[in-house]
Amino acid sequence: MTGTMSEALRTDDPAEAIRDALARRRSGSGDRFGELTHYAMAVPGKLLRPLMVVASAEAVGGAADTALPAAVAVEHLHVASLVHDDIIDGDDLRRGRPSVHARYGVADAIVTGDALLFDLFTAVAECVAPPRVVVAVVAEFARAGGDLCRGQVLEAAMVSPGGTRPGSGLEDYLDVAAFKTGALFRAACRAGALLGGGSAEQVDLLGDYGHHTGVAFQMYDDLLPYLAAGASGKPDLSDAANLRPTWPVLLAHREGGPEHREAVETALSGALPPAETLELLRFAVTDSGALEAARRGARERSHRAQACLRGLPGTAAVARLTGIAEIAVDRDR
């Protein structure tokens, strides 16, 4: 498997090499278990996290092919988290098609997510690197997985009765974004830098870049229900149905007038159907000017990420990482 991965990455398109490696990992099993994991992995998104693994290895002067198994691993962890998130949120749509639990049921979806989590360790074990480096990469992914779980618990506390009120929720929101989204971006970059032979300082810089890029990504992701219908690939009503105080909603409450604060508080009270909740939040976000403020905040975070890349030796890889930070806050690129 490792040799095949190395050959694949000698193409001019790292994303194509990653897609090929992911497809090969799911081939050869025709039973129901294979069908489940294949379905979960069959429609990859932009592959930002795997691409960050490979680019981070190159950014510190390493070879891309040494990082490909870890790139496969991080996508398994990401997809596993999406499978479980969809169950928690009750979302029946993911990337424009039925989510795993909507198609196969909750029990099989839980097992599918668990299987992908275990398979990520198999993938990391295929990295051709000194044992201490492989162990460090495993630790990075395990830490990120724990942070994802911590972020989910914090988010649940924000939306529970007696949880964080909109007026005091921005710090809590940033903690959730750092754990649920920033942690996996951070781990991807640190893993790549470790496999590329980066110094401790370079690993830390790329980890900071990943953290800020992930937070920027989440900030912009929260804007999608207010920008275009269906832009996120999951139901636009998801955040509203789950009474989730997202980045633009919290900004509308902080920076808007009394009518906007009242709209946010009424929407998040749980007294309205999801469609009405979204419409009320849409009024608060767009009418208060919070939509543009939220865009600016996401872009500022993206710029912080890009500043971490200065001085790294891999010029072409740094350019790709810069592009990823820009894509994080502009999905039309």
Side-chain angles (χ1 to χ4, degrees), residues 4-18 24 54 58 63-68:
T4 305
M5 285 186 174
S6 298
E7 292 169 6
L9 206 54
R10 293 184 188 125
T11 69
D12 294 330
D13 185 355
E16 180 183 354
I18 292 166
R24 285 196 302 276
V54 173
E58 294 181 300
D65 57 4
T66 63
L68 186 56

Side-chain angles (χ1 to χ4, degrees), residues 36 43 65 76 82 104 138 146 149 185 216 228 257 264 278 282 321 329:
L36 288 165
V43 185
D65 57 4
H76 278 70
L82 297 182
Y104 294 101
V138 168
C149 297
F185 280 71
V264 169
L278 179 59
R282 190 169 277 141
L321 290 170
V329 293

Side-chain angles (χ1 to χ4, degrees), residues 264-284:
V264 169
E265 290 171 10
T266 300
L268 297 182
S269 70
L272 302 174
E276 293 182 30
T277 298
L278 179 59
E279 285 307 307
L280 202 54
L281 292 175
R282 190 169 277 141
F283 158 73

